[in-house]
Amino acid sequence: MADLKLVARQPAKVAAPPLPGLGSLVTLVAMVVTVAGLYLAREVLIPITLAILLSFVLAPLVTVLRRIHVPNVPSVLLAVVLGLGVLGVIGGLIGLQVASLATDIPRYASTIETKIGSLRGATLGRLDSVTKTVTQQVAKTTGTAEPGSTAAPGEPKPMPVEVRQPAMGPLDLAKSVLEPILKPFESALIIFIVAVFILLQKEDLRDRLIRLFGSNDLHRTTTAMDDAAHRLSKYFLAQLGINAAFGIVVGVGLYFIGVPSPVLWGVLGALLRFVPYVGAVLAAALPMALAAAVSPDWTMLFWTAGLFVVSELVTGQVIEPMVYGHSTGLSPVAVVIAAIFWSWIWGPIGLILSTPLTLCLVVLGRYVERLEFLEVLLGDRPALTPVENFYQRMLAEDPDEALQQAELLLKERSLTTYYDEVVLKGLQLAANDAQRGVIDGDRMDRIKESVQSIVDDLAGHDDRDPAPEEKEAAQAVASQAEKDVPKPAASTAEAPVPEVLAPHWQSASPVLCLAGKGPLDEAASSILVQLLGKHGLGGRMAEHESASRAGIAKLDIQGVAMVCISYLDISGNPAALHYLVRRLKQRMPDVPIIVGLWPVGDAVLKDERMHAVIGADYYTTSLREVVEMCVSVAHDHAEPTRPLAAAE
């Protein structure tokens, strides 16, 4: 027998959380300075940002022109001219529609006045008459005069005051007329000039950014830039297509409803939908007001409102989730917070640019370690892995949410795989915390109760791999959190066809699932009992004390054909497991013993010294392999087909 070295376990101590270091302070100061710079330099940064985003929109067109052998400079200039032409056509179309609409404004104003008068007579008129009647009754009762009925004698009348502005000179007149026109024109000119130079120097700017941010890690920097460019291009193209379709539907619908200038409202609807949250409301307000002015009744207004409500609901709740999916990489809460932040920093332009700017921040957080918090706060990736989420729900004593996650995961994997990939690893996290001394006995008992309740609730699930069509349907609705779980390997998916068991396996409970010494080993043993039952084999769970020195003689071994010992943690104390195996072999010399070192890994599994110390027959690190071993031996009456680590 190998010499055993007993290791005295020291009392667990939990280290105090570290104080914020200088790096955290520097990061905080940098964030404050960055926000202040964005606000103070907004007059310069807004045109540059718009130019960069415009270059992303025009870049695919430039690429197409260069593929057909158009030189770089002509292709850029042609793309910019086409962009200006599209804007000019849209602007001219809007101008013509507004001009034709302006001629009918007096007639629409008359209709509006008539409707307002009818509403006033139906509501405020009745309210005024009731108020006047009540006032007269009060005056008669109290004997006082009605308010405003008489004026005090000798009271002076108010003197009217008229404020006149001085006459404007030619320069003042020209400034008042040209300034509102020249300022937007100046900004647009700057944006297009910067966009032209960005497109002309695209490759050079890319290389300079790589040298500036990550020349030591070209792969990471290139991946980050490609990821940002791909996400932005996909977002802009998808949004452009969706908004254009929205404008077409609105224009056609308003044409059949009878609202004047439907082309104008369709174009404005497509443009205003680029403004998050309030764009659709602004796009619907003007056509609804016009519908109220055109029709003598309220039917056209209701039809117009219904058209915008239905179109926006279908677009926002059905089409956009299908087209976007997780392409932007932003969480819904991040989109709302980004809209508020960028609106505060840059005003209405910031509201329009909030999504693409925040998308760039998320990409930076994904590939720059110091900025990882941006990806955690704003991205759509889950903050916790399914294993961490399972353990956190156990700590919060909320097995219902953990069960909901389990049902989602079971649409893509078998029950055995779920237990191996999520539950056992979650139990290992709990065992580690218990060893560190951060979980007391009461909390551990509640964790065991929560785990057992989940195991009991999953008793009705079959241990089989979902069919391919079921996996595709599950992947279509699964959240990103479930997609981050490694895809399961092939397992004992289908329960075996009933066969004749070996003679000594025909008892009610041929497998004795013995819990280890750890506080959560009983939970692992109960899971194994459940899985064996789903494959036609009876199992019985026994507590660790039942195989102690005082209890081994009383252990019920009738009908036992195999013993499986569950251990979540044997670090520093393999001697206890060795003596446990020796007692079992003395009591049941002909029964093979499997030791399940569940999530420990292949390092311990292949450690021959550890095997010599423990002395078991077989070792495994997954429930799937234990089930396969037991099924193979029970039906074939042979050695296990997969002896992962048989003791010599």
Side-chain angles (χ1 to χ4, degrees):
M1 183 184 70
D3 295 334
L4 298 178
K5 182 179 181 181
L6 299 178
V7 180
R9 178 170 296 183
Q10 299 295 327
K13 296 182 179 179
V14 181
L19 295 176
L22 182 60
S24 301
L25 181 60
V26 171
T27 302
L28 179 60
V29 173
M31 291 176 58
V32 173
V33 172
T34 301
V35 172
L38 289 173
Y39 179 76
L40 297 176
R42 59 186 181 276
E43 297 294 336
V44 176
L45 294 177
I46 289 176
I48 295 176
T49 304
L50 289 173
I52 294 174
L53 297 179
L54 179 62
S55 66
F56 276 103
V57 176
L58 297 178
L61 180 58
V62 174
T63 303
V64 172
L65 292 175
R66 295 183 65 177
R67 285 178 181 174
I68 59 177
H69 306 293
V70 178
N72 186 26
V73 175
S75 62
V76 171
L77 295 178
L78 183 58
V80 173
V81 169
L82 289 177
L84 288 172
V86 172
L87 293 179
V89 169
I90 294 176
L93 184 61
I94 292 176
L96 292 176
Q97 292 286 309
V98 170
S100 64
L101 189 64
T103 58
D104 295 329
I105 288 181
R107 180 166 57 88
Y108 300 152
S110 176
T111 306
I112 288 290
E113 291 176 358
T114 303
K115 288 187 175 181
I116 292 177
S118 62
L119 285 176
R120 182 178 299 172
T123 57
L124 296 179
R126 294 182 179 179
L127 182 61
D128 290 341
S129 62
V130 172
T131 304
K132 186 176 181 180
T133 302
V134 173
T135 304
Q136 291 175 352
Q137 293 295 331
V138 172
K140 291 179 180 180
T141 304
T142 59
T144 59
E146 296 181 21
S149 59
T150 59
E155 183 179 349
K157 296 182 179 180
M159 180 179 297
V161 178
E162 182 179 357
V163 180
R164 293 185 179 181
Q165 296 290 340
M168 298 180 62
L171 293 179
D172 295 333
L173 181 61
K175 182 179 179 180
S176 63
V177 173
L178 295 178
E179 187 174 6
I181 300 175
L182 291 179
K183 189 172 181 60
F185 180 77
E186 174 189 357
S187 300
L189 184 62
I190 294 174
I191 291 171
F192 274 96
I193 290 176
V194 175
V196 167
F197 281 97
I198 290 175
L199 291 172
L200 289 174
Q201 303 293 325
K202 183 174 64 173
E203 289 79 8
D204 181 66
L205 291 174
R206 178 201 62 201
D207 296 341
R208 292 179 184 276
L209 289 175
I210 291 176
R211 178 62 182 271
L212 181 63
F213 292 109
S215 59
N216 295 328
D217 192 349
L218 291 177
H219 177 267
R220 177 183 291 270
T221 307
T222 304
T223 303
M225 296 182 65
D226 291 343
D227 190 7
H230 174 72
R231 289 176 182 272
L232 284 175
S233 298
K234 188 173 182 179
Y235 170 76
F236 283 134
L237 291 176
Q239 192 177 40
L240 179 62
I242 290 175
N243 292 352
F246 178 84
I248 292 173
V249 171
V250 167
V252 173
L254 293 178
Y255 172 79
F256 286 105
I257 291 174
V259 178
S261 304
V263 177
L264 171 64
W265 310 124
V267 173
L268 287 179
L271 295 178
L272 289 174
R273 263 201 110 256
F274 283 96
V275 181
Y277 307 111
V278 299
V281 177
L282 296 177
L286 293 177
M288 290 175 60
L290 184 60
V294 170
S295 177
D297 54 18
W298 301 98
T299 305
M300 185 176 292
L301 173 62
F302 293 146
W303 277 107
T304 304
L307 172 65
F308 275 94
V309 169
V310 173
S311 301
E312 178 61 25
L313 286 177
V314 173
T315 304
Q317 304 300 323
V318 179
I319 298 178
E320 285 183 343
M322 292 174 57
V323 175
Y324 291 157
H326 292 279
S327 62
T328 60
L330 299 178
S331 67
V333 176
V335 174
V336 177
I337 296 176
I340 297 173
F341 174 79
W342 290 108
S343 300
W344 170 61
I345 294 292
W346 286 356
I349 297 297
L351 179 62
I352 298 175
L353 300 178
S354 60
T355 299
L357 290 176
T358 309
L359 177 58
C360 295
L361 294 178
V362 170
V363 173
L364 283 176
R366 185 166 297 174
Y367 295 100
V368 179
E369 185 176 356
R370 293 287 296 272
L371 301 177
E372 185 181 2
F373 68 94
L374 292 174
E375 202 273 337
V376 174
L377 293 176
L378 304 175
D380 64 346
R381 288 185 176 182
L384 299 177
T385 64
V387 175
E388 294 169 341
N389 184 271
F390 171 83
Y391 178 41
Q392 193 274 332
R393 289 296 86 199
M394 296 300 98
L395 289 174
E397 301 178 28
D398 185 11
D400 293 334
E401 185 174 338
L403 182 62
Q404 183 181 14
Q405 180 204 45
E407 291 176 346
L408 288 174
L409 293 174
L410 287 172
K411 295 179 180 179
E412 296 182 318
R413 52 190 41 78
S414 65
L415 184 61
T416 303
T417 306
Y418 167 72
Y419 281 141
D420 276 331
E421 292 180 350
V422 178
V423 177
L424 287 185
K425 293 181 180 180
L427 294 179
Q428 179 65 59
L429 294 179
N432 294 340
D433 283 348
Q435 183 180 359
R436 293 192 302 122
V438 298
I439 299 181
D440 55 23
D442 293 338
R443 173 62 66 86
M444 183 59 68
D445 291 338
R446 292 195 294 270
I447 290 176
K448 289 192 289 186
E449 291 176 1
S450 298
V451 173
Q452 190 59 48
S453 67
I454 293 177
V455 174
D456 294 340
D457 288 333
L458 294 178
H461 285 266
D462 294 331
D463 185 26
R464 63 180 184 85
D465 281 325
E469 58 272 11
E470 294 177 354
K471 284 188 177 182
E472 293 177 0
Q475 291 172 357
V477 300
S479 65
Q480 190 70 14
E482 283 77 46
K483 293 180 181 180
D484 284 349
V485 182
K487 294 304 177 185
S491 64
T492 59
E494 301 292 341
V497 178
E499 299 177 5
V500 178
L501 298 177
H504 59 290
W505 281 81
Q506 295 180 2
S507 63
S509 301
V511 181
L512 177 63
C513 301
L514 183 62
K517 199 173 183 179
L520 293 171
D521 292 336
E522 292 183 12
S525 296
S526 66
I527 292 173
L528 180 58
V529 171
Q530 183 187 91
L531 294 176
L532 290 172
K534 293 182 179 298
H535 290 267
L537 297 177
R540 173 165 53 91
M541 202 234 351
E543 298 179 354
H544 181 76
E545 289 73 12
S546 63
S548 63
R549 291 179 176 84
I552 188 67
K554 301 178 182 179
L555 180 64
D556 183 10
I557 62 172
Q558 183 177 2
V560 174
M562 183 172 287
V563 177
C564 179
I565 306 174
S566 298
Y567 255 88
L568 288 167
D569 179 27
I570 62 168
S571 60
N573 193 18
L577 181 56
H578 163 75
Y579 288 121
L580 174 62
V581 171
R582 189 172 71 175
R583 289 194 298 271
L584 292 172
K585 283 186 172 293
Q586 290 174 352
R587 182 74 193 278
M588 298 174 285
D590 298 329
V591 176
I593 298 176
I594 301 176
V595 173
L597 307 174
W598 299 128
V600 175
D602 292 337
V604 175
L605 187 68
K606 298 177 181 179
D607 190 348
E608 297 296 336
R609 294 179 57 190
M610 182 72 72
H611 299 170
V613 170
I614 296 174
D617 297 294
Y618 304 99
Y619 303 87
T620 181
T621 59
S622 72
L623 295 167
R624 173 176 60 87
E625 291 158 353
V626 174
V627 173
E628 288 180 348
M629 286 183 183
C630 293
V631 170
S632 174
V633 174
H635 290 290
D636 299 337
H637 189 33
E639 290 296 313
T641 57
R642 298 185 61 192
L644 294 180
E648 295 180 359

